[in-house]
């Protein structure tokens, strides 16, 4: 088997199986660090052994077995170390018993095939952890993102992120945060945090805040899969339906977002026949069912906005006034300045550039989005339509400097070229194939 | 798992809130005792009754007042035994103080054992002025390893001495404050936040409760604790209900 094919198989297994195997190992060992290390070793072992032995039929089962064996080895080795240090016979016996109990659990055959990832996600998203740690921990434990990747996504140093993850895992162990899906009476209250994490996870896959890998479909699939599981578990929760609808509607556009050369295509220019109709209709149905429960929320409103795009037969037929109104409603549930920015875009599209300009002025005065490329790109759009081409080019240049991914940078460079600006971005790395 | 609930209060407290808390707390104690969740607990006298003890160059230095001036202060505590943090949060959220103030949940380091005075203290059988809480206040900055190890050894010997003298109700280190969780109930909703009830430079790293000793004896015991040499120990008498 060729090296490339094996690497690809391991990569795919990593995307598809990492979270599942980690979740199972945590359940069986009760030790988060041990689980993570053993699963990482299992993947390293896969890279060594699959070129010789071939890719196993069920990579997930193979990885779980190998990681489980590693855990047994490590627990036994640890027990030997403790035995050397143990001072009394009684202490020695306690250690030995504890280890053997855990080893027994580890080697016991799997009973029912539970999806441990739901257990893992509810624990990662526990209310007693700080929000930023919940998101980071879910991305690390469920999606296998590296500490460096998560650090980049949240604009902090790798050391800060490593500390945040270590602290969160320590609190889970030391404070006794349970590893389970909460009891029925706690479930609704604990769901909000989980939804926020799933949404961020989806966006990590959808927008890929850094790096060249534009659509990390696996991450989006994972977020949707977990959202489906949540929906199954809490069928009457409108925000769960809203989130799932939102994710499906956004994900339905994935094939239309890139041209043949892998370049980003904005919503207005996408070939709508390439949107996945099945996902669109499922998203619309879910949204309708959610709205019928008459408890609007953040995700339902965002899904309603996505639905406006999904229903428009062409970009020209988009109901922008409705979208602007939905963004205004959304501001009641979601105080993010990005919502205000999107409302400005919608107002501008619905022919009210003055209202848009005043929202943008407010955002500049607040200053929180100054390093967000789309604020400057929106400025440029508004300036262009009022004929101020020189100012529009300056704003686009700023946006290009701030663009987080090469693909987004190239999109803005093309737009700048349309305005007669420089064809090449400063330090943009556009020459790469 | 064993957790310490810090019952936190603040001044001023409206009379109607005090009335609700006083009326409802008995029901909470009855329920949690009945469930086998609550091991012991008692209200502390106000921060005005606190004496903070330090020992520097062999000299015992006393100052009036608590170790940290905060809007909220520790008004009492309960030691609970729960399956996990979710149960501890549920128990804390039912405490009437959580409805107006806050309750911090802090796990004990593993292996909590209660002292010889614990059963009598839990039954509220102790003489007025004879039960005191010693709060070990540290800044969280680790000292040289040799010093830390010495403090650990001396602390164990100190606790063993109190046990032998038959004074110890409780003496056990707590997990780091980074493992703390604070619970408040507002408008019927349980609000859970990560971290201690107040961000202070110093925090409580461990708690000792002694019974059968006067304030003066409690202060002497605090001064004899190894942490008093590098950090501070706050001594506070309990309220006799």
């Amino acid at each position: 088997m060729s090296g490339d094919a094996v690497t690809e198989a391991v990569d795919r297994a990593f995307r598809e199986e990492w979270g599942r195997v980690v979740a199972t190992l945590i359940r069986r060992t009760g030790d988060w660090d041990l689980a993570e290390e053993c699963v990482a070793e299992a993947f390293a072992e896969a890279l060594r052994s699959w070129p010789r032995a071939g890719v196993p039929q069920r990579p997930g089962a193979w990885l779980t077995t190998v990681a489980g064996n590693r855990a047994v080895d490590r627990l036994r080795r640890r027990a030997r170390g403790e035995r050397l240090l143990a001072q009394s016979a009684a202490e020695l016996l306690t250690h030995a018993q504890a280890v053997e109990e855990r080893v027994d659990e580890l080697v016991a055959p799997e009973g029912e095939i539970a999806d441990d990832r739901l257990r893992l996600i509810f624990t990662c998203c526990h209310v007693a952890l700080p929000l930023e740690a919940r998101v980071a921990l879910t991305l690390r434990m469920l999606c296998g993102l590296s500490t460096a990747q998560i650090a980049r996504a949240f604009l902090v140093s790798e050391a800060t992120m490593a500390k945040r993850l270590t602290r969160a895992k320590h609190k889970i162990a030391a404070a006794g945060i349970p590893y389970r899906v909460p009891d029925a009476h706690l479930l609704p209250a604990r769901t909000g945090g989980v939804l926020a994490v799933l949404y961020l996870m989806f966006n990590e896959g959808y927008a890929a805040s850094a790096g060249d890998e534009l659509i990390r479909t696996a991450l989006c699939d994972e977020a949707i899969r977990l959202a489906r599981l949540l929906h199954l578990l809490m069928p009457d929760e409108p925000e769960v339906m809203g989130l799932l609808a939102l994710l499906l509607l956004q994900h339905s556009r994935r094939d239309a977002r890139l041209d043949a050369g892998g370049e980003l295509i904005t919503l207005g220019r996408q070939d709508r026949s390439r949107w996945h109709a099945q996902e669109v209709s499922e998203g619309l149905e879910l949204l309708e069912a959610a709205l019928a429960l008459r408890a609007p929320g953040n995700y339902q409103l965002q899904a309603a906005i996505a639905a406006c795009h999904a229903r428009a037969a062409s970009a020209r037929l988009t109901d922008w006034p409705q979208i602007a109104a939905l963004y205004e409603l959304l501001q009641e549930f979601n105080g993010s300045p990005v919502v205000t920015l999107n409302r400005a875009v919608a107002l501008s599209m619905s022919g009210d550039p003055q209202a848009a300009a005043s929202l943008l002025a407010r955002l500049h005065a607040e200053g929180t989005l100054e390093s967000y490329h789309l604020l400057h790109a929106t400025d440029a759009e508004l300036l262009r339509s009022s004929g101020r081409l020189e100012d529009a080019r300056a704003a686009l240049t700023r946006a290009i400097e701030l663009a987080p991914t090469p693909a987004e940078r190239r999109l803005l460079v093309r737009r700048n070229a349309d305005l007669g600006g420089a064809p090449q971005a400063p330090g943009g790395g556009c020459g790469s194939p | 798992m064993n957790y310490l609930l810090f019952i936190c209060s603040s001044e001023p407290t409206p009379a109607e809130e005090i009335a609700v808390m006083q009326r409802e707390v008995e029901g909470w104690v009855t329920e949690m005792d009945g469930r086998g969740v609550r091991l012991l607990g008692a209200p502390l006298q106000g921060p005005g009754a606190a004496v903070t003890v330090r020992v520097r160059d062999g000299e015992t230095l006393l100052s009036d007042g608590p170790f940290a001036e905060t809007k909220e202060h520790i008004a009492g505590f309960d030691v609970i035994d729960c399956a996990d943090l979710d149960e501890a949060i549920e128990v804390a959220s039912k405490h009437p103080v959580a409805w107006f103030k806050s309750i911090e949940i802090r796990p004990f380091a593993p292996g909590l054992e209660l002292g010889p005075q614990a059963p009598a203290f839990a039954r509220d059988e102790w003489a007025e002025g004879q039960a005191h809480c010693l709060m070990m206040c540290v800044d969280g900055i680790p000292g040289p390893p040799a010093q830390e190890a010495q403090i650990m050894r001396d602390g164990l010997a100190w606790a063993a001495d109190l046990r032998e003298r038959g004074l110890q109700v409780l003496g056990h280190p707590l997990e780091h404050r980074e493992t703390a969780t604070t619970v408040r109930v507002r408008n019927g909703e349980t609000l859970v936040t990560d971290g201690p009830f107040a961000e202070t430079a110093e925090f409580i790293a461990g708690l000792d409760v002694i019974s059968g000793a006067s304030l003066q004896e409690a202060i002497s015991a605090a001064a004899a604790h190894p942490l008093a040499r590098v950090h501070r120990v706050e001594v506070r008498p309990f309220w006799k209900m």
Side-chain angles (χ1 to χ4, degrees), chain B residues 221-236:
Chain B
H225 195 282
L227 275 176
R229 300 199 297 263
V230 276
H231 298 292
R232 301 199 276 177
V233 181
E234 178 184 328
V235 179
R236 198 112 64 92

Side-chain angles (χ1 to χ4, degrees), chain B residues 106-180:
Chain B
R106 190 94 75 80
F108 276 102
L112 173 72
E113 281 177 33
L114 298 176
Q117 285 288 343
F121 187 83
R123 290 192 304 266
D124 212 24
E125 291 165 7
W126 50 276
E128 175 100 60
Q130 294 287 300
H132 297 88
C133 184
L134 278 57
M135 295 182 247
M136 307 299 158
C137 312
V138 303
D139 56 15
I141 302 162
Q147 185 190 323
E148 295 284 319
Q150 188 66 44
I151 289 174
M152 180 75 86
R153 275 195 300 276
D154 292 354
L156 288 171
W158 179 89
D161 176 57
L162 282 180
R163 233 178 354 260
E164 272 164 34
R165 286 161 63 199
L167 300 178
Q168 192 192 54
V169 174
L170 165 76
H172 201 73
L174 294 164
E175 291 282 357
H176 195 276
R177 73 166 152 185
E178 287 196 339
T179 63

Side-chain angles (χ1 to χ4, degrees), chain A residues 23-368:
Chain A
T24 301
L25 263 282
I26 292 174
R27 174 170 55 76
R28 289 161 72 183
T29 65
D31 185 328
W32 289 52
D33 285 327
L34 179 79
E36 225 184 311
E37 285 159 17
C38 293
V39 178
E41 281 181 17
F43 276 98
E45 181 61 34
L47 272 175
R48 279 192 299 272
S49 118
W50 292 3
R52 279 183 285 109
V55 176
Q57 284 219 311
R58 292 166 57 218
W62 188 95
L63 290 160
T64 307
T65 305
V66 172
N69 290 341
R70 292 292 164 118
V72 169
D73 289 347
R74 277 174 178 244
L75 284 170
R76 290 214 164 112
R77 211 177 315 141
R78 200 184 284 176
R80 273 199 298 278
E82 278 166 0
R83 219 169 291 158
L84 288 173
L85 290 172
Q87 304 201 333
S88 67
E91 215 177 312
L92 197 146
L93 198 67
T94 322
H95 278 313
Q97 273 169 356
V99 168
E100 285 314 315
E101 274 165 26
R102 288 169 81 186
V103 167
D104 282 348
E105 265 175 52
L106 267 167
V107 296
E110 283 286 276
E112 59 173 312
I113 304 191
D115 195 321
D116 289 316
R117 280 180 296 181
L118 199 58
R119 204 189 294 257
L120 180 55
I121 198 171
F122 268 103
T123 305
C124 288
C125 300
H126 198 276
V127 282
L129 297 171
L131 181 62
E132 66 267 30
R134 293 178 218 166
V135 179
L137 204 57
T138 305
L139 287 170
R140 174 78 202 112
M141 304 309 288
L142 275 125
C143 309
L145 263 67
S146 72
T147 305
Q149 284 171 310
I150 305 167
R152 275 205 301 282
F154 292 94
L155 309 174
V156 299
S157 74
E158 192 176 339
T160 302
M161 186 52 76
K163 207 174 146 209
R164 193 179 289 175
L165 286 166
T166 305
R167 216 213 109 189
K169 281 188 279 188
H170 175 67
K171 182 167 181 181
I172 289 170
I177 293 178
Y179 190 57
R180 61 152 186 258
V181 176
D183 294 340
H185 68 283
L186 277 180
L187 210 47
R190 295 281 168 86
T191 307
V194 174
L195 295 180
V197 168
L198 294 189
Y199 188 47
L200 277 167
M201 186 192 300
F202 179 85
N203 279 332
E204 181 65 21
Y206 191 70
S209 61
D212 236 329
E213 199 181 346
L214 200 56
I215 299 179
R216 306 178 66 184
T217 313
L219 217 53
C220 295
D221 287 344
E222 205 68 14
I224 289 173
R225 216 185 84 86
L226 287 164
R228 280 191 198 282
L229 257 173
L230 274 183
H231 177 46
L232 196 74
L233 199 67
M234 290 172 277
D236 301 322
E237 193 58 50
E239 279 290 89
V240 175
M241 294 155 94
L243 178 76
L244 181 54
L246 173 64
L247 301 189
L248 287 166
L249 290 171
Q250 290 192 353
H251 202 46
S252 72
R253 301 181 207 140
R254 63 190 172 279
D255 293 341
R257 291 176 76 221
L258 298 178
D259 66 15
E263 296 296 324
L264 270 174
I265 306 172
T266 53
L267 190 56
R269 295 182 181 184
Q270 288 175 14
D271 173 0
R272 297 184 177 221
S273 69
R274 300 187 68 196
W275 290 357
H276 289 248
Q278 172 59 36
E279 284 161 28
V280 170
S281 63
E282 191 189 351
L284 292 177
E285 268 169 42
L286 272 163
L287 175 64
E288 206 168 301
L291 293 175
L293 296 171
R294 304 205 163 274
N298 180 18
Y299 299 109
Q300 292 171 78
L301 285 165
Q302 291 191 64
I305 291 163
C308 287
H309 293 297
R311 287 197 194 98
S314 73
R316 211 167 33 82
L317 296 172
T318 307
D319 187 351
W320 285 107
Q322 170 74 0
I323 291 175
L326 286 167
Y327 273 120
E328 193 177 357
L329 259 178
L330 180 58
Q331 280 184 308
E332 284 175 30
F333 295 91
N334 183 337
S336 164
V338 175
V339 174
T340 310
L341 176 61
N342 288 333
R343 194 178 148 214
V345 173
L347 284 166
S348 157
M349 296 299 288
S350 45
D352 193 349
Q354 269 165 345
S358 81
L359 283 183
L360 290 176
R362 203 171 84 200
L363 286 171
H364 281 297
E366 284 168 8
T368 44

Side-chain angles (χ1 to χ4, degrees), chain B residues 18-193:
Chain B
I18 294 176
V20 172
M21 291 190 277
Q22 281 176 343
R23 191 180 66 227
E24 299 292 335
V25 76
E26 264 319 301
W28 182 85
V29 168
T30 308
E31 179 188 343
M32 298 312 159
D33 282 355
R35 274 167 58 174
V37 159
R38 182 178 169 277
L39 304 183
L40 54 87
L44 286 160
Q45 291 190 26
V51 177
T52 299
V53 182
R54 281 178 300 153
V55 175
R56 298 292 183 272
D57 301 321
E59 196 184 340
T60 300
L61 307 166
L62 304 183
S63 51
D64 285 340
F67 77 100
E69 291 291 347
T70 49
K71 198 165 77 64
E72 286 189 288
H73 60 262
I74 296 164
F77 72 82
D78 288 277
V79 177
I80 58 170
D81 183 11
C82 290
D84 53 40
L85 187 61
D86 277 349
E87 189 182 9
I89 290 170
E90 181 248 329
V91 168
S93 71
K94 286 187 170 162
H95 195 294
V97 170
W99 308 343
F100 308 102
K101 313 287 185 183
S102 341
I103 295 184
E104 178 183 326
I105 305 171
R106 190 94 75 80
F108 276 102
L112 173 72
E113 281 177 33
L114 298 176
Q117 285 288 343
F121 187 83
R123 290 192 304 266
D124 212 24
E125 291 165 7
W126 50 276
E128 175 100 60
Q130 294 287 300
H132 297 88
C133 184
L134 278 57
M135 295 182 247
M136 307 299 158
C137 312
V138 303
D139 56 15
I141 302 162
Q147 185 190 323
E148 295 284 319
Q150 188 66 44
I151 289 174
M152 180 75 86
R153 275 195 300 276
D154 292 354
L156 288 171
W158 179 89
D161 176 57
L162 282 180
R163 233 178 354 260
E164 272 164 34
R165 286 161 63 199
L167 300 178
Q168 192 192 54
V169 174
L170 165 76
H172 201 73
L174 294 164
E175 291 282 357
H176 195 276
R177 73 166 152 185
E178 287 196 339
T179 63
T181 302
T182 299
V183 174
R184 297 178 181 87
V185 178
R186 300 292 184 269
N187 304 318
E189 197 187 342
T190 301
L191 309 172
V192 178
T193 49

